[in-house]
């Protein structure tokens, strides 16, 4: 039941926050914070129970499961499960959710209750994505998390918020339809082979498919997840959505929603279609390398501070795509570590950008300069996040990128060598950010308040996590190891380990 409560607490908290908003906006904020705090405590309890290894004879890496019959005629169940990968993504979601509520404490002043309702329901949908193991239920949660994010951008965004919200919705909904078609195709293929309708993930593992059908179905899933990641050339919605979203929306979008695409690649694309994914791997890895270089170059060219951080996300998540399709334990560990590290550092960067925009009412780096003198705490935080983002050894991003490159080197030396150029490019745009915003000569006279106690508490917490996981990444690696090792086993063995038919 703990898995169900992880979702219900946020759904109920969102409704209570909406109802409390008209009475007093502060109540809405505290209700949201309390809901996320309760969920974080539940997730920590799951993390403590996470196994340290894989024992297929005892059910594999699953910490908790919940299965209720939902629509038995079509083999649809309310099936939730959690392993180390799900727990890590759940923890990341809740930590960044708390950071988002605190970061928007003074930024959001209109329709505060409805804002927190959409924020919590988007997070609830995201948790559902990470915990659902019935493909119909997975698609349901996939849609649930998108609609509230549309409202967050459209109602509380900046100048071109309607354009950005519609573009975000069309890209994500359109790609989601391809995934729905692929899900139905897989279900019908399984029915043709076994005579049984089922949407259960474990039943569908190892389904015998004709090679051409497996490739088309795999591409349906891949397209949906590549758009959400986003991978080049499916990325064009991301800079606009990030730029126009409120701070909390940008944090959740970059730190959490993008990770659903990476999670889907690891959880569904390769395990469900191993042969097709193996044939497609050179193309996918090449797209990852293109994303690393293309995102870095476009980040280098930006004047808008928020767009710079947005394009840097495309570059960093290219490493995830590279690592997933290298499909060995080192590369997958690197991909998961990069997902966590990117969520923490980029989430903190968007909070910093939001704080700067709230104080200066601009994101144009051409108007900034020498802000360190006016806001020394902001400058120190910005410098740390910039060097963390470029992958300084001893910080979490370095571990993720290094492991990914080690794993991909075993598969393709040319692609790995090319991907390392992205590390050099990241250094350039990170240092440009620091120079243009915090150093140099002042281009305009700014008298702005520095980061306050609440914002500094959020920043220091995220910084501490980045340092901790950079110096001692074992908590993430040990937690993810059982799930990743199980994913690398043949589908039939995984299905048998869960008691499902292969």
């Amino acid at each position: 039941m703990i898995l169900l409560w992880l979702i219900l607490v946020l759904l109920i908290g969102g409704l209570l926050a909406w109802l409390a908003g008209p009475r007093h906006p502060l109540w809405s904020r505290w209700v949201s914070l309390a809901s996320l705090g309760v969920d974080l405590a539940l997730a920590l309890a799951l993390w403590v129970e996470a196994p340290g290894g894989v024992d297929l004879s005892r059910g594999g890496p699953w910490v908790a499961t919940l299965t209720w019959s939902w629509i038995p005629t079509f083999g649809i169940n309310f099936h939730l499960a959690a392993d180390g990968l799900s727990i890590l993504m759940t923890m990341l979601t809740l930590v960044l959710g708390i950071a988002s509520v605190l970061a928007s404490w003074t930024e959001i002043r209109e329709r505060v209750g409805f804002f927190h309702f959409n924020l919590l329901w988007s997070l609830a949908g995201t948790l559902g994505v990470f915990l659902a193991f019935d493909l119909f239920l997975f698609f349901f949660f996939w849609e649930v998390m998108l609609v509230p994010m549309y409202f967050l951008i459209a109602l509380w965004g900046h100048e071109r918020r309607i354009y950005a919200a519609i573009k975000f919705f069309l890209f994500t909904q359109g790609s989601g339809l391809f995934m729905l078609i692929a899900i139905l195709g897989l279900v019908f293929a399984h029915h043709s082979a076994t005579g049984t309708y089922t949407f259960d993930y474990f039943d569908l593992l190892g389904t015998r498919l004709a090679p051409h059908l497996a490739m088309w179905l795999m591409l349906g899933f891949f397209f949906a997840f590549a758009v959400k990641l986003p991978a080049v050339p499916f990325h064009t919605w991301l800079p606009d959505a990030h730029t126009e979203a409120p701070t909390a929306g940008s944090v959740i979008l970059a730190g959490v929603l993008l990770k659903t695409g990476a999670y889907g690649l690891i959880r569904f694309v390769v395990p469900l279609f191993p042969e097709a994914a193996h044939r497609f791997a050179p193309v996918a890895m090449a797209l990852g390398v293109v994303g690393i270089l293309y995102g870095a170059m476009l980040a280098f060219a930006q004047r808008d501070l928020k767009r710079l951080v947005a394009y840097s996300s495309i570059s960093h998540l290219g490493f995830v795509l590279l690592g997933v399709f290298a499909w060995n334990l080192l590369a997958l560990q690197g991909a998961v570590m990069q997902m966590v590290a990117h969520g923490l550092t980029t989430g903190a960067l968007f909070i910093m950008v939001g704080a700067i925009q709230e104080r200066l009412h601009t994101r144009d780096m051409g108007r900034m300069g020498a802000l360190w003198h006016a806001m020394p705490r902001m400058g120190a935080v910005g410098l740390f996040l910039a060097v963390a983002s470029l992958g300084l050894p001893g910080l979490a991003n370095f571990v993720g990128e290094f492991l990914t490159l080690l794993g991909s080197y075993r598969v393709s030396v040319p692609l790995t060598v090319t991907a390392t150029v992205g590390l050099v490019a990241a250094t350039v745009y990170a240092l440009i950010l620091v120079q243009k915003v915090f150093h140099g000569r002042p281009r305009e006279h700014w008298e702005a308040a520095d980061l306050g106690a609440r914002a500094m508490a959020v920043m220091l917490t995220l910084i501490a996590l980045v340092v901790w996981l950079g110096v001692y990444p074992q908590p993430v690696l040990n937690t993810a190891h059982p799930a990743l090792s199980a994913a690398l086993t043949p589908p039939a063995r995984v299905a048998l380990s869960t008691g499902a038919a292969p």
Side-chain angles (χ1 to χ4, degrees):
M1 288 295 289
I2 191 172
L3 301 179
L4 180 62
W5 279 110
L6 282 169
I7 299 171
L8 283 180
V9 166
L10 295 187
L11 294 177
I12 296 170
L15 289 171
L16 293 177
W18 190 3
L19 294 173
R23 297 176 180 273
H24 201 296
L26 189 61
W27 295 357
S28 180
R29 299 183 180 105
W30 280 110
V31 167
S32 300
L33 202 58
S35 302
L36 289 163
V38 170
D39 251 24
L40 184 58
L42 294 175
L44 284 169
L46 275 181
W47 195 12
V48 170
E49 296 177 15
V54 180
D55 183 357
L56 292 174
S57 66
R58 294 195 301 169
W62 308 104
V63 180
T65 60
L66 172 67
T67 305
W68 291 339
S69 180
W70 187 7
I71 311 175
T73 303
F74 299 108
I76 297 173
N77 296 310
F78 189 88
H79 185 181
L80 303 178
D83 60 3
L85 179 59
S86 300
I87 292 171
L88 286 174
M89 294 299 100
T90 298
M91 295 282 293
L92 179 66
T93 299
L94 297 172
V95 168
L96 292 178
I98 292 172
S100 299
V101 172
L102 293 172
S104 59
W105 203 270
T106 57
E107 179 185 1
I108 303 301
R109 300 181 182 275
E110 298 179 357
R111 292 176 284 196
V112 176
F114 191 50
F115 171 84
H116 287 94
F117 166 81
N118 283 288
L119 181 65
L120 292 186
W121 275 55
S122 182
L123 294 173
T126 305
L127 293 187
V129 166
F130 293 141
L131 299 174
F133 281 83
D134 180 280
L135 268 63
F136 183 88
L137 183 65
F138 173 83
F139 182 77
F140 172 78
F141 282 123
W142 184 268
E143 297 300 307
V144 166
M145 73 177 178
L146 300 179
V147 177
M149 181 54 66
Y150 167 84
F151 285 115
L152 286 175
I153 299 172
L155 297 180
W156 293 277
H158 302 298
E159 296 84 3
R160 302 178 70 227
R161 58 185 181 273
I162 301 300
Y163 166 79
I166 292 175
K167 191 174 183 180
F168 161 77
F169 195 74
L170 289 177
F171 267 77
T172 52
Q173 288 291 315
S175 62
L177 289 177
F178 282 93
M179 181 170 64
L180 177 61
I181 293 171
I183 290 172
L184 294 175
L186 180 59
V187 169
F188 291 142
H190 181 83
H191 176 265
S192 178
T194 65
T196 303
Y197 284 113
T198 181
F199 284 78
D200 191 271
Y201 173 78
F202 301 110
D203 292 340
L204 295 173
L205 281 172
T207 299
R208 292 181 176 85
L209 300 168
H212 67 282
L213 177 61
M215 179 61 73
W216 282 111
L217 295 180
M218 186 276 296
L219 289 175
F221 279 88
F222 175 82
F223 182 56
F225 298 139
V227 167
K228 185 58 69 67
L229 187 60
V232 176
F234 313 116
H235 67 286
T236 57
W237 63 271
L238 178 70
D240 293 311
H242 272 317
T243 303
E244 302 305 327
T247 299
S250 294
V251 173
I252 296 304
L253 194 58
V256 179
L257 262 66
L258 302 190
K259 305 307 178 296
T260 60
Y263 172 85
L265 294 174
I266 297 172
R267 181 71 78 193
F268 296 100
V269 170
V270 183
L272 287 174
F273 313 101
E275 293 83 6
H278 177 72
R279 297 199 305 274
F280 186 69
V283 177
M285 292 177 70
L287 288 177
V289 173
V290 169
I292 292 169
L293 301 178
Y294 180 80
M297 287 189 294
L298 286 184
F300 169 79
Q302 300 306 310
R303 283 176 58 95
D304 187 309
L305 182 56
K306 212 171 187 183
R307 291 183 79 87
L308 185 154
V309 180
Y311 277 112
S312 74
S313 292
I314 297 173
S315 181
H316 292 310
L317 292 172
F319 284 98
V320 174
L321 185 58
L322 179 67
V324 169
F325 279 89
W327 202 248
N328 56 63
L329 186 58
L330 268 179
L332 288 175
Q333 285 180 322
V336 172
M337 192 70 201
Q338 180 72 349
M339 290 160 67
V340 174
H342 174 267
L344 296 173
T345 55
T346 305
L349 276 169
F350 275 119
I351 293 174
M352 183 195 75
V353 174
I356 291 175
Q357 183 175 5
E358 187 178 1
R359 288 158 173 78
L360 307 186
H361 306 291
T362 183
R363 300 185 303 268
D364 187 353
M365 291 188 292
R367 296 179 57 190
M368 300 178 192
L371 288 184
W372 198 302
H373 298 290
M375 297 179 281
R377 290 193 294 273
M378 184 89 76
V381 168
L383 176 61
F384 176 88
L385 295 175
V387 297
S389 181
L390 63 84
L392 185 73
L395 301 177
N397 291 66
F398 171 78
V399 178
E401 292 169 358
F402 183 69
L403 289 175
T404 300
L405 292 173
L406 280 180
S408 64
Y409 187 84
R410 299 178 175 182
V411 179
S412 174
V413 174
L415 287 176
T416 304
V417 172
T418 307
T420 58
V421 178
L423 301 178
V424 179
T427 304
V428 176
Y429 67 70
L431 294 181
I432 284 177
L433 183 156
V434 174
Q435 171 64 26
K436 287 188 174 181
V437 176
F438 298 110
H439 294 292
R441 61 179 181 83
R443 295 170 180 83
E444 296 185 24
H445 179 67
W446 301 108
E447 292 184 1
D450 206 348
L451 289 175
R454 181 173 54 250
M456 280 302 297
V458 173
M459 289 298 197
L460 290 176
T461 300
L462 296 178
I463 287 172
L465 290 172
V466 170
V467 173
W468 174 42
L469 296 179
V471 175
Y472 185 66
Q474 287 306 124
V476 170
L477 301 181
N478 289 344
T479 303
H481 180 268
L484 299 180
S485 297
L488 289 167
T489 60
R493 289 186 65 197
V494 177
L496 286 171
S497 74
T498 60

